[in-house]
Structure formats: C-alpha cells, structure tokens
C-alpha cells in the first residue's frame, strides 16, 4: 500500500463539532458542509461520524455528492447548496435531497417535475435562496415574497426554509463588518417580505463558519459550518482575534498528511535537483526522496519555502515539486533513514508535525480550504 496517506482523526472531528455546539443555542440547528469530499477528508466517513454526533443537516454542492451519501447509507437531511439542472430533479425526489431554489422558471420547472413524481397530496421541501450581497445565486430580498408565494401556491412544493450566504463575514475590516451587517439586515427584510404574504418562512439560515463563531446575531435557526469542523479558522477570524473579543474557541486539525522517506542519496557540491535545475547543491549534502507530489495535493508553488518534518526536525523541500515526488535537503549530518515517516501537515498537539494546512496556505498565498481539498483521491484516507 502506498505510504503517502491522510490520517483523519475522529477525536478531533468530534472535538470541533462539540465546540461548535457550545457556541450556538440549544435550538439552533447545525448543517455541516461535507461538499468537496468533506473538504478533502472523505465525505461518506465524515458524514457517518457526524450522524453519530447528531448533526441536523449535511450540505453538498452537487446532486452527485448527495447521491454518494445516500448510496452509502447516510440518513441525515441533505441540503444542496448549488443549483442543479432539470435532468436531476427526479433524483432529488428519489433520494430526498433538499435543493435551494429561486426564480419563477426554476420553481415552475421543479414543481412540474414533482407533479409527475408525487401523489396528489405529497409535497417536496425546498429552501428559497436569497441573494443579500454574495452575487451568486438567489432572488433579491424585494422579490422573496412573490417567489415564496409561488412555492406555496405550487402543487407539490413546500417552503422548508430560507437561506443566504455572506461574502465578507470572515473579514475583520471595517468594510467587512459593515457589509456583513448590511447583508444580515437585507436577509431580515427578505424574511419580512415573506411573512407579509401570510407565509411561514421556515428554517432561516445565513451563517457559515465565520458567522457561527463570530456573528451570533446571524445564527438564526441554523448555522452552516464548514472549515471549522475540519479544524481551521476562516480567514481573518483567527483564534487570537476571537480571544481579543473574549471568545475562547479552540479547534484541532482533523487531517494529517504524511508520507515516508523512500531514499537517502549523497550529492556532491554542484549537483542539481529536479526539473529546471532550479536548485544546485552549494556543498556536499544528503537528499531525501519522498513519494508525494502535486498530483497528491502538494502544490508545485509550495517550493521554495516548504519544509517537511522527519523525526521532529524540519527539512526544506529543494528543487521543483514533481507530479509524484519531491526532494528534501537533509544536510550532511542527518540521522534520517529510508522509510522514516515524513509529516507534511497535521495537528501540532498530537502528530509531531509543527505546521498545519494554514501554514501551507500562507506559503502558497491561498487559504486552508484549498490546501485540504487539493489532497487528491489517490491519497488513501485512514480514520483513527
């Protein structure tokens, strides 16, 4: 079995989920995002663990992601966060996947399809998507009343709730805070427009990870955490920032990405490493070869700068990261031997790896979400 693997911690997943439960009211539902293969952690196994913990909803980004969960025995309610095409409507009904909807044409098409699938008294639950400033999907607040009415007057649809998404809730800038407040007010107006029609707006949901931990006024009836479930803070909402607001919210990274040193080679001064000869030995040294590369999720742009931990010590990656391999400079006095474990990122408190996916994100000028979801399918996940 290939030695490059991702170790997924049940204990850390449970720790994070329970900490989220502590910061929301007892009546607030939790919808965990398991889209993108649970941010690279493995959607099915993650969903199983979350079901054991009593999660209310699971959120996916495509019908296929929801289908994978259902085919593997997941019973929890599933919310589809992206729009699907009419070809998938029947499957939404069949597999009980609740979609976001908006727009008269989309709602009418979905209802017509539901009419051909359900008996005369059955109704299919949907969430009305509201665009309060994300600029992605959803009706505008002023149109919510009419679109909710269209759902209520349809033959086979039922308004289960309303949902919006925040564009800057993970920002601590004055602009970000102001815009998030503006979006929150716009969502409240949207809800009022539905109530003015004499309709029950159902479950209200606005908050992702940043809202869950930093915007209690935006919890409404259901929060939708994603990245914090997997052990990382959302962008500018860091642990230090939360502590400055007297919020002690801790997280533990759930994934450890690791491999092994498969060869230790002696190089003379002037010899080069990897494509393009971008790194040349300035003195005699030892080079460790690792069977992990950008096809596994160790992005090419991480070098130069990336370090990998072997036996508790950091060694720099040298030369360009290849598709399937990379090399580290061990120096001339290293005690590293072939088949020693090499840790790329993980939980510093328990794995011996002194860097996290956030550290790699800073190096690659990206976010932890991308680092995690880039760990490819060929990297086997092991739960423990």
């Amino acid at each position: 079995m290939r030695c490059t693997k991702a170790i997924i911690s049940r204990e850390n997943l449970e720790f994070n989920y329970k900490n989220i439960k502590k910061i929301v009211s007892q009546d607030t539902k939790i919808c965990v995002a398991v889209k993108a293969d649970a941010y690279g952690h493995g959607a099915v196994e993650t969903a199983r663990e979350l079901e054991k913990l009593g999660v209310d909803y699971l959120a996916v980004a495509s019908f296929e992601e929801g289908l994978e969960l259902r085919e593997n025995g997941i019973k929890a309610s599933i919310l589809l966060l992206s729009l699907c095409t009419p070809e998938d409507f029947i499957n939404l009904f069949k597999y009980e996947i609740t979609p976001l909807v908006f727009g008269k044409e989309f709602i009418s098409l979905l209802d017509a399809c539901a009419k051909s699938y359900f008996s005369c008294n059955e109704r299919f639950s949907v969430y009305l998507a509201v665009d309060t400033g994300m600029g992605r999907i959803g009706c505008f607040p002023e149109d919510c009343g009419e679109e909710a009415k269209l759902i209520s007057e349809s033959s086979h649809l039922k308004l289960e709730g309303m949902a919006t998404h925040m564009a800057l809730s993970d920002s601590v800038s004055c602009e970000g805070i102001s815009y998030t407040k503006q979006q929150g007010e716009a969502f409240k107006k949207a809800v009022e427009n539905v109530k003015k029609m004499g309709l029950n707006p159902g479950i209200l949901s606005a908050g992702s990870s940043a809202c869950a931990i930093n915007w209690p006024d935006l919890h409404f009836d259901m929060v939708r955490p994603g990245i914090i479930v997997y052990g990382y803070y959302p962008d500018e909402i860091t642990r230090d920032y939360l502590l400055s607001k007297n919020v002690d919210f801790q997280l533990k990274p759930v994934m450890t990405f690791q491999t092994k040193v498969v060869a230790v080679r002696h190089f003379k001064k002037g010899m080069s490493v990897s494509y393009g000869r971008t790194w040349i030995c300035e003195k005699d040294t030892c080079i460790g070869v690792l069977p992990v590369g950008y096809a596994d999720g160790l992005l090419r742009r991480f070098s130069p700068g990336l370090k990998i931990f072997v036996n508790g010590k950091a060694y720099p990656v040298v030369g360009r990261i290849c598709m399937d391999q990379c090399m580290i400079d061990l120096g001339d006095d290293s005690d590293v031997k072939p088949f020693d474990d090499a840790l790329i990122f993980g939980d510093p408190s328990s794995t011996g790896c002194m860097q996290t996916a956030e550290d790699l994100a800073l190096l690659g000028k990206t976010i932890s979400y991308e680092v995690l979801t880039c760990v490819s399918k060929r990297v086997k996940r092991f739960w423990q």
Side-chain angles (χ1 to χ4, degrees), residues 88-105:
D88 284 329
F89 286 172
I90 291 291
N91 287 322
L92 295 180
F93 308 148
K94 182 178 178 181
Y95 293 98
E96 298 182 358
I97 297 171
T98 304
L100 295 184
V101 304
F102 79 99
K104 294 180 180 180
E105 182 180 7

Side-chain angles (χ1 to χ4, degrees), residues 74-93:
I74 300 303
K75 304 297 184 186
S77 297
I78 297 176
L79 184 63
L80 176 58
L81 297 178
S82 303
L83 294 185
C84 62
T85 59
E87 290 78 13
D88 284 329
F89 286 172
I90 291 291
N91 287 322
L92 295 180
F93 308 148

Side-chain angles (χ1 to χ4, degrees), residues 39-76:
Y39 290 38
H41 293 70
V44 172
E45 192 63 31
T46 300
R48 286 175 179 154
E49 294 299 317
L50 291 168
E51 278 195 322
K52 294 176 187 176
L53 295 169
V55 72
D56 299 291
Y57 275 79
L58 300 168
V60 297
S62 69
F63 161 71
E64 288 78 10
E65 290 181 342
L67 176 61
E68 180 186 26
L69 298 182
R70 290 289 187 240
E71 288 185 331
N72 283 277
I74 300 303
K75 304 297 184 186

Side-chain angles (χ1 to χ4, degrees), residues 63 86-97 109-125 155-157:
F63 161 71
E87 290 78 13
D88 284 329
F89 286 172
I90 291 291
N91 287 322
L92 295 180
F93 308 148
K94 182 178 178 181
Y95 293 98
E96 298 182 358
I97 297 171
L109 283 172
L110 184 63
D111 184 49
C113 189
K115 189 174 182 179
S116 69
Y117 184 85
F118 293 106
S119 64
C120 59
N121 294 323
E122 291 181 286
R123 287 184 174 267
F124 180 66
S125 293
S155 60
H156 287 82
L157 302 182

Side-chain angles (χ1 to χ4, degrees), residues 318-334:
V318 292
R320 289 177 177 160
I321 294 172
C322 308
M323 183 180 290
D324 315 298
Q325 300 176 81
C326 70
M327 283 64 71
I328 55 177
D329 183 12
L330 301 174
D332 57 3
D333 61 350
S334 171

